[in-house]
Each structure stands twice: as C-alpha cells, then as structure tokens.
C-alpha cells in the first residue's frame, strides 16, 4: 500500500513569511519616503531656481510611483496564497530606486 501524498498546495506552509515580506515592504517604503523628503529638502535649500523646482517634482513623482507599486504588493501579500512578484512590478521598483539615486546626485551637484 502506497502512502497518501498531500497535494502540492498543502505541502507548502508559508508560516509568517508573507507577513515578514509585508513588513519588509513597509520598511522599504519608509526608507524611500525619508530619501525623498531629504532630497526635496536639499533641492528647496538650493535657492528656488526652475531646475530645482523640476527636481522636486521629479522626486515626488518617483516617490509616488514607488508607493503605488509597494502598496499593490502589500495588498497581494494579504492573500492566503500570495502570487510571486511580477517582473513588471520588480522592474518598476528598480527603476524608481535608480531614478531616486540619480535625482539625489543631480540635487547634490
């Protein structure tokens, strides 16, 4: 008599992993928010030229895009069996991170 094998869905016990991942997204969102606030603060201290206003708008835009992607991911992780991170979302997060770093360099220079 062969043993009864559980279905693949029953084999996986996610435990607290989705919650840890949600908390990691929250920490990352907080870090991105702090970086955006510091970037805006530095840009506004520069004197108020038109280029600096554009930098502020771009920083806020990048921050908002990151927040939207992160919030969607946190909502997905609330499911009983959350899906993997979509390549498009991962690319969006990477693009926001690189753009925020580039804007930080532009503000400093």
């Amino acid at each position: 008599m062969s043993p009864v094998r559980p279905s693949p869905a029953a084999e996986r016990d996610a435990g607290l992993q989705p919650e840890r991942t949600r908390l990691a997204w929250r920490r990352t969102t907080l870090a991105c928010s702090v970086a955006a606030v510091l970037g805006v603060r530095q840009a506004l201290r520069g004197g108020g030229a038109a280029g600096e206003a554009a930098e502020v708008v771009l920083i806020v835009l990048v921050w908002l895009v990151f927040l939207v992607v992160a919030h969607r991911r946190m909502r997905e992780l609330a499911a009983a069996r959350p899906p993997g991170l979509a390549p498009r979302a991962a690319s969006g997060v990477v693009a926001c991170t690189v753009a925020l770093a580039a804007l930080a360099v532009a503000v400093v220079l």
Side-chain angles (χ1 to χ4, degrees):
M1 179 179 234
S2 66
V4 177
R5 302 186 86 200
S7 67
E11 288 180 17
R12 182 178 182 274
D13 179 20
L16 295 177
Q17 186 264 334
E19 177 152 352
R20 287 192 307 267
T21 305
R22 257 194 321 274
L23 290 172
W25 273 102
R26 288 184 192 274
R27 285 190 307 270
T28 305
T29 301
L30 178 62
C32 183
S33 299
V34 169
V37 166
L38 291 175
V40 167
R41 179 177 171 232
Q42 184 66 29
L44 292 177
R45 284 187 168 194
E52 292 163 352
E55 289 171 349
V56 168
V57 169
L58 287 173
I59 290 170
V60 170
L61 182 65
V62 167
W63 176 69
L64 288 173
V65 169
F66 183 85
L67 284 181
V68 167
V69 172
H71 183 68
R72 284 184 183 165
R73 184 61 186 157
M74 284 187 276
R75 274 194 331 219
E76 288 173 354
L77 288 170
R81 185 149 172 92
L85 182 62
R88 183 176 173 191
S91 299
V93 170
V94 170
C96 286
T97 304
V98 170
L100 195 57
L103 287 168
V105 169
V107 166
V108 170
L109 299 179

